[in-house]
Amino acid sequence: MAEKLTPREKGFSEWYVDLVQKAKLADYSDVKGCMVIRPNGYALWENMQRVLDKMFKDLGHKNAYFPLLIPESYLKKEAEHVEGFNPQLAVVTHAGGSKLEEPYVIRPTSETIINRSFAKWIQSYRDLPLLLNQWANVMRWEMRTRLFLRTTEFLWQEGHTCHETEEDAEKETRQMLEVYRTFAEDYMAMPVMTGQKSESERFAGALRTYSIEAMMQDKKALQAGTSHNLGQNFAKAFDTQFQGRDGKMHHVWQTSWGVSTRLIGGLIMTHSDDAGLIVPPKLAATHVVIIPIFGKASDAEKAQVLEKTNALAADLRKAGLGVVLDDDDTKSPGFKYNEHELIGTCLRIELGPKDLAKNSCVMVRRDVRQKEFVSLDEAVSKAQAMLDAMQKDLFTKAKSFRDSHTFEVNSYEELKEKADQGFLLAHWNLDPKVEARIKEETGLTTRCRPFDLKQEPGKCVVTGEPSPGRIVFSKAY
């Protein structure tokens, strides 16, 4: 029940784990660091997939699938790449009862094995751009895990594209970051900062990495998506070349970009409360629950109420809404209210004999939990309007929270004092050693240099040396 959740103020981490398990989103597995995604959680992922997949395809990308097992030698072809992932690799050394001639790495990401195919498929500039996406699972051996946020195995999509020029690759990289921003803000109702990562936070083997960064209710940052300009590093490692318009051979310019089931964790921590899960309507599997209220009603009155609730459910479904009619008479209305608040049903409709006599019903929005009396004749249009308002209000509330916990800081002391207060905009001299010192002494990491933040030169808050502009520091997941 919802009242058994640990309150956020008492323990945000405990609240999060309680919610994930009691809202039946995911459960722990006997496989170290892995999770079982339950139907409630997988329904969210399916809706995210559906929206993102259309966004990708609308831009010309096509889906493909590549093997889970990658020859170990492939990863070694790109030195920085293998060094970056080496501590997280799971390696298969035996199969079919005997030792393999060459070990296979379980996919941590697919740049290497995909490039092996690209090198065979691409011959001419006429083959470009090549725009692919893969929905898959990956494995990265994590020491400390948390459901959805960081698990040894997780689900994601990884886009991989090849282009004629660096300019085309950069355009693609930024375009896909904008797709992620649009999805996060318009569908997840989760405001994000978009910008470039620091060199130390750059994807192993990339020229540049960009990210969307969101603020959770505990004021920590969540990197919710990344887009990488890979340059020609992997193309040179795998000899992925094409004959250009000038008749000469050139290496392709590449990108990769991805989001994962971590988005579900971000959605939870952005919107939910001590009563349970709150889901933005655009991603909800169940928009409306209709609960008949019988009380001391006669059998005839109960039959009338059930007839009307079934008709209302049918009308709402015709309008494209996900509807549950909860007519289980072994549970009290109060129990049902708590249960549906816990699992994140967006809108509750109550209907009893007295309501029916007035040709009305009661509607309760999950996020504000206030009762509103609505004419049954207007129930469908009102439900749609309330869901639209909920979607907008969730974004407004989350953005207000983020903005009120974003600060400019102008000294190292101030950076330390506000380390737990949210997003800190500070000058930094770009020295990785200074960045590492800040992380060690404060727990703060650089998140991104936001595109929409006006950059003006200043002095590094640690060393006083010249800084090209402010970057976001925050504690993060």
Side-chain angles (χ1 to χ4, degrees):
M1 293 296 293
E3 62 266 22
K4 293 183 181 179
L5 294 179
T6 301
R8 287 165 294 173
E9 291 298 319
K10 186 175 180 181
F12 192 83
S13 180
E14 292 82 358
W15 163 82
Y16 174 81
V17 173
D18 280 353
L19 193 156
V20 169
Q21 291 191 279
K22 293 178 181 178
K24 299 179 181 179
L25 298 172
D27 200 358
Y28 293 102
S29 165
D30 289 339
V31 181
K32 177 178 169 57
C34 293
M35 64 176 170
V36 176
I37 304 177
R38 302 185 67 177
N40 286 357
Y42 202 79
L44 285 173
W45 181 238
E46 284 180 314
N47 285 343
M48 290 177 170
Q49 275 187 302
R50 174 179 50 80
V51 174
L52 283 166
D53 199 61
K54 184 177 186 305
M55 294 174 81
F56 300 157
K57 287 174 179 173
D58 285 347
L59 292 173
H61 303 89
K62 295 180 179 180
N63 286 336
Y65 187 82
F66 294 83
L68 173 71
L69 299 178
I70 301 173
E72 189 177 51
S73 60
Y74 284 20
L75 270 77
K76 292 179 178 178
K77 282 178 177 286
E78 214 291 324
E80 185 182 5
H81 189 66
V82 69
E83 182 181 351
F85 277 103
N86 199 48
Q88 297 178 304
L89 299 180
V91 183
V92 178
T93 58
H94 291 72
S98 59
K99 187 175 181 180
L100 297 170
E101 288 186 17
E102 179 182 358
Y104 287 106
V105 172
I106 298 177
R107 173 175 53 218
T109 182
S110 300
E111 279 76 8
T112 57
I113 196 165
I114 285 178
N115 256 281
R116 182 70 182 90
S117 292
F118 284 171
K120 292 190 294 182
W121 297 345
I122 296 171
Q123 307 297 326
S124 161
Y125 69 90
R126 295 182 181 87
D127 300 321
L128 301 173
L130 180 57
L131 310 174
L132 296 186
N133 175 64
Q134 172 174 242
W135 292 96
N137 61 336
V138 294
M139 181 165 284
R140 298 177 183 176
W141 212 256
E142 299 284 356
M143 301 310 295
R144 288 186 289 180
T145 59
R146 188 174 298 178
L147 296 170
F148 289 117
L149 297 175
R150 193 174 293 277
T151 50
T152 297
E153 180 190 17
F154 55 91
L155 305 181
W156 77 349
Q157 59 75 211
E158 49 179 321
H160 296 272
T161 69
C162 297
H163 305 269
E164 284 188 70
T165 67
E166 182 178 11
E167 182 182 3
D168 289 343
E170 180 67 13
K171 183 179 178 181
E172 168 78 2
T173 308
R174 297 285 288 265
Q175 173 181 256
M176 299 318 295
L177 188 74
E178 178 61 17
V179 167
Y180 292 152
R181 184 204 65 77
T182 299
F183 176 75
E185 297 194 341
D186 292 358
Y187 289 87
M188 294 181 66
M190 182 177 75
V192 293
M193 287 185 173
T194 61
Q196 185 171 343
K197 303 291 280 188
S198 69
E199 274 296 297
S200 66
E201 295 286 335
R202 176 176 52 83
F203 177 73
L207 290 184
R208 290 178 288 279
T209 290
Y210 303 100
S211 69
I212 57 171
E213 303 283 339
M215 183 184 290
M216 304 295 97
Q217 290 182 60
D218 62 351
K219 305 169 196 171
K220 287 184 180 179
L222 182 78
Q223 180 178 287
T226 51
S227 187
H228 317 288
N229 185 330
L230 301 178
Q232 296 177 310
N233 291 340
F234 290 93
K236 290 177 179 178
F238 286 85
D239 203 25
T240 309
Q241 296 191 68
F242 67 99
Q243 186 175 42
R245 299 172 193 270
D246 58 3
K248 298 177 181 179
M249 298 303 294
H250 304 271
H251 288 99
V252 298
W253 297 85
Q254 292 181 270
T255 80
S256 66
W257 29 273
V259 294
S260 74
T261 38
R262 164 178 270 228
L263 289 178
I264 296 175
L267 183 151
I268 294 166
M269 293 193 293
T270 299
H271 301 301
S272 301
D273 61 19
D274 291 347
L277 181 66
I278 294 177
V279 181
K282 285 186 178 181
L283 293 176
T286 304
H287 298 100
V288 181
V289 59
I290 303 174
I291 300 178
I293 309 296
F294 294 132
K296 297 179 181 180
S298 66
D299 289 344
E301 288 174 323
K302 288 181 181 179
Q304 288 178 325
V305 169
L306 284 175
E307 182 181 0
K308 188 60 184 178
T309 53
N310 274 289
L312 179 57
D315 289 342
L316 290 165
R317 290 187 184 111
K318 286 179 185 176
L321 301 180
V323 183
V324 169
L325 173 58
D326 192 343
D327 57 359
D328 184 349
D329 60 7
T330 67
K331 299 176 182 177
S332 69
F335 182 94
K336 294 177 184 179
Y337 300 164
N338 288 336
E339 186 173 48
H340 283 280
E341 287 182 350
L342 174 60
I343 64 175
T345 306
C346 298
L347 186 64
R348 182 174 84 233
I349 298 179
E350 305 164 20
L351 182 63
K354 292 181 180 179
D355 302 304
L356 197 55
K358 298 176 185 177
N359 194 42
S360 70
C361 62
V362 174
M363 290 190 178
V364 182
R365 232 172 73 179
R366 169 64 185 88
D367 56 329
V368 294
R369 302 167 77 192
Q370 294 177 349
K371 289 190 175 185
E372 190 169 340
F373 294 92
V374 176
S375 166
L376 285 172
D377 297 332
E378 301 174 353
V380 174
S381 61
K382 184 64 175 177
Q384 290 174 313
M386 290 178 77
L387 291 169
D388 289 343
M390 178 178 172
Q391 181 79 31
K392 293 174 184 175
D393 290 351
L394 287 175
F395 178 78
T396 300
K397 181 180 179 182
K399 187 174 185 299
S400 176
F401 179 84
R402 185 199 66 183
D403 292 349
S404 65
H405 294 93
T406 300
F407 310 95
E408 282 193 1
V409 297
N410 296 301
S411 71
Y412 195 30
E413 286 305 310
E414 190 180 7
L415 194 74
K416 291 176 181 177
E417 289 171 6
K418 292 185 175 178
D420 294 306
Q421 294 185 27
F423 286 176
L424 308 179
L425 306 175
H427 280 287
W428 165 56
N429 67 352
L430 306 185
D431 185 344
K433 293 180 181 178
V434 173
E435 185 181 13
R437 175 187 167 188
I438 292 173
K439 181 178 181 179
E440 182 179 351
E441 295 179 354
T442 68
L444 296 167
T445 56
T446 56
R447 306 316 308 159
C448 71
R449 192 177 299 279
F451 295 141
D452 60 359
L453 181 66
K454 185 179 179 181
Q455 293 293 339
E456 297 178 342
K459 294 182 178 181
C460 175
V461 293
V462 177
T463 67
E465 295 173 349
S467 159
R470 295 180 188 270
I471 193 168
V472 178
F473 285 88
S474 178
K475 293 188 176 179
Y477 285 96

